[in-house]
Structures are given as structure tokens and as C-alpha cells.
């Protein structure tokens, strides 16, 4: 027969219902903080199963199963959306890194233009203005036109000496006016080819595709030729050159700058108007 002192000692050794509740509360809080809503829901259901008679009611159990299934489907859908968003962000970052690397590589391979805004190679050189391109090919002294093979098409050039490999055989950077192009032998030692550009507003990065490219940011017009032009024509040419250099640098052209200035003036005159969605066209 137990004495009263023994019963009191046993009671002191067993945790009270309030201590169990505190422990469960702490466990649930820890699950929610560290593992997320689904593990928290599972822990909460386990707690109800252990501490109540709730799951002895089959109807109540069915409702809980439905609720848990719906919650899990929603959770899985949200997790999938998060994963897709993260994958898309990573893909975009990769594309940006590839584009930046390609741009850096392209800039690294650009060459400073010669005095004629073209490039010099071992077997030929070329120069350009906005209107035309001149190609000079050194050949043995005394070379005559009948020894030369030269075929100028709208988008392609073939030139060399008969019986020998072609010196140039490639597509132009941009098309030319073939009917306005011609070639000649200069001093019996240079094949000179004049190519008239189809588009007289752009500088060429290269004479034929695949060869090293000119750094267009370093292209400079010949001041002597500009001074020979009348005032109106010179302004047009200077505007073309400015716009071309701006495009090469990724900056706004003169027309875009003018539109931006006009918009700024209009915004200053109408401070109460919302221009946040205004786009320049």
C-alpha cells in the first residue's frame, strides 16, 4: 500500500499537461520556422491525433484528408512556380553573361582603322568614305589587265591573277551598286577597285565578311573632303557620321536626342501630367 508521500513523489516526476502543451507549442513553432508550412501541417495533425479523439470520427477524418490534399496540391504548385521562376532567372542571367562575353570578345577583336577608315592586310588594303570603298591589291610590276580576273557583283567580289589562287573571294559587308563599280591597273603594280555603296549612310565594319573588323568608334572623316562640300551637304554628312558613331556606342542618334529634348520641355511646361508611360517613337 502506497503512502501519501510516494504518490506525491510520482506526481512530481510525471510532466503536467501544461508542460506537454508548452513542448508541443515549441515543436510546432520550430517546424514552421525551419521546414515550412507542409511539415508544420503534418506535425499539427499528428499532435491532434495523439492528444484528441478527433480522428475517431470517420466524417471528420475525411474532411481533414481533403483539406490536407488540397493544401499539399497548392503547396506543390507554388513550389513549382518558384522553381520555374528561379530557373528562368538563372537562364536570363546566363544569356546576359553570354551576351556580355560575346560583346567583350567582339570589342577585343576590333582593329584600329588605317588613315582611310579601312584596314591594311598583307595582300591587300581597303579604305572607305560614306559613299564608296576603294580596294588596293599589290601585284608584280608590269602586270597588265589581261592577266587579271575581277568579278564584281552586288554582294560578292572575286579578284586575282589568272592561273593563281584568288586574292579576294567573299561577300561584301553590305551590297554595292555593281553597275557603278570598276577596276583598273595603277602604275602597272596595283589593282585598284572602286566600289560604290548601295547604302551611303553607314560605315562598313569590314570589306568582305569574315575578315577582321574596324572599330567604328575610331573612324574619322577626312576634314579636307568635308571642307570641299557646301554648308548644307556638310551638315547632312556630319549628321550621318554622328548618328553612325552613336549607334556603334549604343547611344541615341541626333533625331532621338532632339525628341528627348522636346519631351523634356513639354514635361516642364505640364508638371501635373503623368508621363511615366510615354514612349518616344
Amino acid at each position: 500500500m502506497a503512502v501519501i508521500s510516494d504518490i506525491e513523489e510520482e506526481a512530481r516526476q510525471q510532466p503536467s499537461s501544461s508542460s506537454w502543451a508548452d513542448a508541443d507549442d515549441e515543436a510546432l513553432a520550430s517546424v514552421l520556422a525551419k521546414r515550412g508550412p507542409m511539415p508544420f501541417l503534418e506535425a499539427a495533425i499528428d499532435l491532434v491525433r495523439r492528444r484528441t479523439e478527433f480522428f475517431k470520427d470517420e466524417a471528420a477524418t475525411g474532411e481533414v484528408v481533403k483539406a490536407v490534399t488540397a493544401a499539399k496540391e497548392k503547396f506543390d504548385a507554388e513550389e513549382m512556380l518558384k522553381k520555374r521562376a528561379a530557373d528562368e532567372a538563372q537562364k536570363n542571367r546566363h544569356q546576359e553573361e553570354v551576351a556580355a562575353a560575346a560583346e567583350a570578345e567582339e570589342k577585343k577583336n576590333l582593329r584600329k582603322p588605317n588613315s582611310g577608315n579601312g584596314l591594311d592586310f598583307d595582300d591587300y588594303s581597303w579604305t572607305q568614305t560614306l559613299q564608296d570603298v576603294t580596294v588596293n591589291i599589290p601585284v608584280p610590276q608590269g602586270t597588265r589587265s589581261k592577266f587579271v580576273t575581277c568579278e564584281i557583283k552586288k554582294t560578292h567580289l572575286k579578284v586575282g591573277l589568272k592561273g593563281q589562287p584568288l586574292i579576294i573571294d567573299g561577300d561584301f559587308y553590305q551590297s554595292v551598286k555593281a553597275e557603278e563599280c570598276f577596276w583598273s591597273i595603277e602604275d602597272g603594280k596595283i589593282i585598284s577597285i572602286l566600289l560604290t555603296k548601295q547604302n551611303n549612310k553607314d560605315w562598313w565594319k569590314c570589306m568582305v565578311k569574315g575578315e577582321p573588323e574596324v572599330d567604328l568608334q575610331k573612324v574619322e572623316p577626312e576634314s579636307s573632303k568635308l571642307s570641299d562640300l557646301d554648308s548644307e551637304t556638310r551638315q547632312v554628312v556630319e549628321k550621318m557620321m554622328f548618328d553612325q558613331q552613336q549607334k556603334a556606342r549604343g547611344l541615341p542618334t541626333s533625331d532621338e536626342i532632339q525628341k528627348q529634348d522636346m519631351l523634356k520641355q513639354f514635361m516642364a511646361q505640364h508638371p501635373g501630367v503623368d508621363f511615366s508611360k510615354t514612349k518616344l517613337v
Side-chain angles (χ1 to χ4, degrees):
M1 180 176 177
V3 296
I4 294 177
S5 59
D6 294 334
I7 296 174
E8 290 176 346
E9 179 65 23
E10 182 178 350
R12 282 195 297 270
Q13 293 176 355
Q14 293 181 354
S16 65
S17 60
S18 61
S19 64
W20 278 111
D22 291 341
D24 287 333
D25 289 344
E26 291 178 2
L28 289 176
S30 176
V31 170
L32 181 59
K34 296 181 179 180
R35 300 177 59 190
M38 287 308 300
F40 171 79
L41 181 59
E42 293 171 357
I45 291 174
D46 180 65
L47 176 63
V48 172
R49 179 185 60 78
R50 289 188 290 103
R51 298 187 56 195
T52 71
E53 303 293 324
F54 181 80
F55 286 102
K56 291 184 178 181
D57 185 342
E58 293 184 2
T61 302
E63 292 299 321
V64 170
V65 170
K66 289 180 182 179
V68 171
T69 301
K72 189 173 188 310
E73 289 176 351
K74 181 180 179 181
F75 176 78
D76 290 343
E78 292 175 348
E79 289 298 304
M80 183 177 295
L81 289 176
K82 290 179 182 178
K83 186 178 184 303
R84 287 179 180 175
D87 291 344
E88 187 66 24
Q90 183 177 3
K91 179 181 177 182
N92 292 338
R93 284 195 300 271
H94 177 68
Q95 291 176 343
E96 291 174 357
E97 291 172 356
V98 170
E103 183 179 358
E105 185 66 21
E106 180 181 357
K107 288 183 178 179
K108 185 176 70 174
N109 293 330
L110 295 179
R111 294 192 181 183
K112 181 180 179 180
N114 57 27
S115 58
N117 296 321
L119 290 175
D120 298 324
F121 301 112
D122 292 338
D123 48 1
Y124 73 95
S125 64
W126 64 278
T127 59
Q128 67 174 320
T129 66
L130 284 171
Q131 290 76 32
D132 53 53
V133 172
T134 300
V135 184
N136 290 318
I137 307 172
V139 291
Q141 180 70 49
T143 297
R144 300 170 63 181
S145 59
K146 66 179 181 180
F147 302 144
V148 176
T149 296
C150 187
E151 183 179 292
I152 305 172
K153 293 185 177 181
K154 182 178 180 179
T155 60
H156 196 88
L157 173 65
K158 287 183 179 181
V159 60
L161 299 177
K162 291 180 180 179
Q164 298 184 24
L166 292 171
I167 299 172
I168 301 174
D169 183 10
D171 293 330
F172 293 126
Y173 175 70
Q174 291 184 357
S175 59
V176 301
K177 298 178 182 179
E179 67 280 2
E180 298 182 17
C181 300
F182 62 88
W183 66 273
S184 62
I185 298 290
E186 301 290 339
D187 300 326
K189 60 180 180 180
I190 293 178
I191 301 175
S192 181
I193 306 171
L194 179 66
L195 306 169
T196 303
K197 293 180 179 179
Q198 188 78 39
N199 177 358
N200 60 7
K201 297 181 180 180
D202 293 337
W203 295 104
W204 283 15
K205 291 183 178 181
C206 55
M207 197 275 289
V208 293
K209 295 178 180 178
E211 69 180 11
E213 296 185 351
V214 173
D215 186 350
L216 294 181
Q217 295 186 26
K218 297 181 180 179
V219 166
E220 296 181 358
E222 295 183 29
S223 57
S224 59
K225 290 187 177 181
L226 282 177
S227 64
D228 293 338
L229 301 174
D230 61 80
S231 176
E232 183 177 353
T233 304
R234 184 167 65 250
Q235 289 179 3
V236 173
V237 173
E238 288 175 344
K239 178 178 180 296
M240 288 180 182
M241 293 187 299
F242 174 79
D243 289 343
Q244 182 68 22
Q245 291 178 344
Q246 290 291 96
K247 288 180 181 178
R249 296 174 178 141
L251 300 174
T253 63
S254 55
D255 290 337
E256 292 169 342
I257 292 174
Q258 185 178 11
K259 289 179 181 179
Q260 290 174 356
D261 291 340
M262 292 174 62
L263 179 59
K264 289 178 182 178
Q265 292 178 6
F266 188 78
M267 292 171 63
Q269 295 171 359
H270 302 80
V273 179
D274 182 11
F275 292 96
S276 58
K277 298 182 179 180
T278 302
K279 293 183 178 180
L280 294 175
V281 295

mmCIF file of all heavy atoms in Angstrom, residues 46-61:
data_model
loop_
_atom_site.group_PDB
_atom_site.id
_atom_site.type_symbol
_atom_site.label_atom_id
_atom_site.label_comp_id
_atom_site.label_asym_id
_atom_site.label_seq_id
_atom_site.Cartn_x
_atom_site.Cartn_y
_atom_site.Cartn_z
ATOM 1 N N ASP A 46 -0.519 15.298 -36.503
ATOM 2 C CA ASP A 46 -0.021 14.263 -35.598
ATOM 3 C C ASP A 46 -0.313 14.630 -34.141
ATOM 4 O O ASP A 46 -0.666 13.777 -33.331
ATOM 5 C CB ASP A 46 1.484 14.086 -35.804
ATOM 6 C CG ASP A 46 2.052 13.018 -34.888
ATOM 7 O OD1 ASP A 46 1.676 11.838 -35.054
ATOM 8 O OD2 ASP A 46 2.876 13.370 -34.013
ATOM 9 N N LEU A 47 -0.190 15.911 -33.831
ATOM 10 C CA LEU A 47 -0.477 16.374 -32.478
ATOM 11 C C LEU A 47 -1.953 16.169 -32.132
ATOM 12 O O LEU A 47 -2.298 15.683 -31.045
ATOM 13 C CB LEU A 47 -0.110 17.855 -32.346
ATOM 14 C CG LEU A 47 -0.432 18.509 -31.004
ATOM 15 C CD1 LEU A 47 0.368 17.848 -29.885
ATOM 16 C CD2 LEU A 47 -0.128 20.008 -31.057
ATOM 17 N N VAL A 48 -2.849 16.501 -33.070
ATOM 18 C CA VAL A 48 -4.300 16.307 -32.841
ATOM 19 C C VAL A 48 -4.611 14.829 -32.669
ATOM 20 O O VAL A 48 -5.419 14.438 -31.809
ATOM 21 C CB VAL A 48 -5.097 16.905 -34.027
ATOM 22 C CG1 VAL A 48 -6.573 16.536 -33.911
ATOM 23 C CG2 VAL A 48 -4.931 18.414 -34.070
ATOM 24 N N ARG A 49 -3.958 13.979 -33.489
ATOM 25 C CA ARG A 49 -4.202 12.529 -33.396
ATOM 26 C C ARG A 49 -3.791 11.985 -32.035
ATOM 27 O O ARG A 49 -4.483 11.154 -31.446
ATOM 28 C CB ARG A 49 -3.415 11.811 -34.502
ATOM 29 C CG ARG A 49 -3.563 10.288 -34.482
ATOM 30 C CD ARG A 49 -2.648 9.649 -35.528
ATOM 31 N NE ARG A 49 -1.264 9.971 -35.257
ATOM 32 C CZ ARG A 49 -0.529 9.390 -34.321
ATOM 33 N NH1 ARG A 49 -1.059 8.466 -33.525
ATOM 34 N NH2 ARG A 49 0.734 9.733 -34.144
ATOM 35 N N ARG A 50 -2.663 12.473 -31.537
ATOM 36 C CA ARG A 50 -2.148 11.959 -30.271
ATOM 37 C C ARG A 50 -2.905 12.483 -29.059
ATOM 38 O O ARG A 50 -3.043 11.793 -28.055
ATOM 39 C CB ARG A 50 -0.655 12.298 -30.137
ATOM 40 C CG ARG A 50 0.239 11.527 -31.066
ATOM 41 C CD ARG A 50 1.732 11.753 -30.779
ATOM 42 N NE ARG A 50 2.181 13.103 -31.129
ATOM 43 C CZ ARG A 50 2.399 14.064 -30.268
ATOM 44 N NH1 ARG A 50 2.209 13.841 -28.968
ATOM 45 N NH2 ARG A 50 2.804 15.254 -30.667
ATOM 46 N N ARG A 51 -3.413 13.703 -29.144
ATOM 47 C CA ARG A 51 -3.940 14.342 -27.940
ATOM 48 C C ARG A 51 -5.463 14.508 -27.907
ATOM 49 O O ARG A 51 -6.007 15.025 -26.945
ATOM 50 C CB ARG A 51 -3.295 15.713 -27.772
ATOM 51 C CG ARG A 51 -1.773 15.617 -27.588
ATOM 52 C CD ARG A 51 -1.161 16.938 -27.248
ATOM 53 N NE ARG A 51 -1.770 17.513 -26.058
ATOM 54 C CZ ARG A 51 -1.661 18.773 -25.656
ATOM 55 N NH1 ARG A 51 -0.946 19.602 -26.387
ATOM 56 N NH2 ARG A 51 -2.250 19.202 -24.558
ATOM 57 N N THR A 52 -6.135 14.099 -29.009
ATOM 58 C CA THR A 52 -7.592 14.235 -29.034
ATOM 59 C C THR A 52 -8.224 12.973 -29.620
ATOM 60 O O THR A 52 -7.537 12.070 -30.096
ATOM 61 C CB THR A 52 -8.023 15.446 -29.889
ATOM 62 O OG1 THR A 52 -7.790 15.141 -31.272
ATOM 63 C CG2 THR A 52 -7.245 16.697 -29.516
ATOM 64 N N GLU A 53 -9.546 12.922 -29.550
ATOM 65 C CA GLU A 53 -10.322 11.819 -30.122
ATOM 66 C C GLU A 53 -10.868 12.195 -31.495
ATOM 67 O O GLU A 53 -11.734 11.518 -32.040
ATOM 68 C CB GLU A 53 -11.503 11.488 -29.183
ATOM 69 C CG GLU A 53 -11.099 11.132 -27.762
ATOM 70 C CD GLU A 53 -10.330 9.814 -27.730
ATOM 71 O OE1 GLU A 53 -10.669 8.923 -28.524
ATOM 72 O OE2 GLU A 53 -9.383 9.711 -26.924
ATOM 73 N N PHE A 54 -10.341 13.245 -32.092
ATOM 74 C CA PHE A 54 -10.912 13.814 -33.321
ATOM 75 C C PHE A 54 -10.969 12.787 -34.456
ATOM 76 O O PHE A 54 -11.961 12.675 -35.176
ATOM 77 C CB PHE A 54 -10.085 15.029 -33.751
ATOM 78 C CG PHE A 54 -10.591 15.718 -34.982
ATOM 79 C CD1 PHE A 54 -11.669 16.600 -34.901
ATOM 80 C CD2 PHE A 54 -10.026 15.474 -36.226
ATOM 81 C CE1 PHE A 54 -12.142 17.227 -36.042
ATOM 82 C CE2 PHE A 54 -10.500 16.094 -37.356
ATOM 83 C CZ PHE A 54 -11.555 16.977 -37.276
ATOM 84 N N PHE A 55 -9.905 11.999 -34.644
ATOM 85 C CA PHE A 55 -9.823 11.112 -35.796
ATOM 86 C C PHE A 55 -10.626 9.826 -35.636
ATOM 87 O O PHE A 55 -10.621 8.990 -36.532
ATOM 88 C CB PHE A 55 -8.361 10.778 -36.093
ATOM 89 C CG PHE A 55 -7.619 11.923 -36.725
ATOM 90 C CD1 PHE A 55 -6.761 12.699 -35.966
ATOM 91 C CD2 PHE A 55 -7.814 12.251 -38.056
ATOM 92 C CE1 PHE A 55 -6.091 13.762 -36.531
ATOM 93 C CE2 PHE A 55 -7.145 13.318 -38.622
ATOM 94 C CZ PHE A 55 -6.291 14.080 -37.860
ATOM 95 N N LYS A 56 -11.329 9.657 -34.501
ATOM 96 C CA LYS A 56 -12.234 8.526 -34.360
ATOM 97 C C LYS A 56 -13.524 8.760 -35.134
ATOM 98 O O LYS A 56 -14.273 7.820 -35.389
ATOM 99 C CB LYS A 56 -12.527 8.263 -32.885
ATOM 100 C CG LYS A 56 -11.306 7.735 -32.129
ATOM 101 C CD LYS A 56 -11.657 7.387 -30.690
ATOM 102 C CE LYS A 56 -10.430 6.817 -29.981
ATOM 103 N NZ LYS A 56 -10.721 6.444 -28.577
ATOM 104 N N ASP A 57 -13.775 10.014 -35.512
ATOM 105 C CA ASP A 57 -14.949 10.369 -36.321
ATOM 106 C C ASP A 57 -14.554 10.247 -37.794
ATOM 107 O O ASP A 57 -13.735 11.006 -38.303
ATOM 108 C CB ASP A 57 -15.385 11.803 -36.000
ATOM 109 C CG ASP A 57 -16.674 12.171 -36.728
ATOM 110 O OD1 ASP A 57 -17.030 11.485 -37.709
ATOM 111 O OD2 ASP A 57 -17.297 13.175 -36.329
ATOM 112 N N GLU A 58 -15.127 9.236 -38.523
ATOM 113 C CA GLU A 58 -14.738 8.991 -39.908
ATOM 114 C C GLU A 58 -15.037 10.187 -40.814
ATOM 115 O O GLU A 58 -14.267 10.495 -41.722
ATOM 116 C CB GLU A 58 -15.465 7.750 -40.441
ATOM 117 C CG GLU A 58 -15.021 6.465 -39.764
ATOM 118 C CD GLU A 58 -15.698 5.256 -40.376
ATOM 119 O OE1 GLU A 58 -16.468 5.444 -41.342
ATOM 120 O OE2 GLU A 58 -15.429 4.125 -39.923
ATOM 121 N N ALA A 59 -16.162 10.855 -40.578
ATOM 122 C CA ALA A 59 -16.517 12.022 -41.400
ATOM 123 C C ALA A 59 -15.491 13.132 -41.224
ATOM 124 O O ALA A 59 -15.046 13.760 -42.189
ATOM 125 C CB ALA A 59 -17.912 12.522 -41.020
ATOM 126 N N ALA A 60 -15.089 13.357 -39.963
ATOM 127 C CA ALA A 60 -14.094 14.393 -39.692
ATOM 128 C C ALA A 60 -12.758 14.033 -40.325
ATOM 129 O O ALA A 60 -12.057 14.881 -40.891
ATOM 130 C CB ALA A 60 -13.940 14.583 -38.180
ATOM 131 N N THR A 61 -12.414 12.730 -40.259
ATOM 132 C CA THR A 61 -11.159 12.281 -40.865
ATOM 133 C C THR A 61 -11.148 12.533 -42.367
ATOM 134 O O THR A 61 -10.149 12.995 -42.944
ATOM 135 C CB THR A 61 -10.944 10.788 -40.593
ATOM 136 O OG1 THR A 61 -10.934 10.560 -39.192
ATOM 137 C CG2 THR A 61 -9.640 10.309 -41.211
#
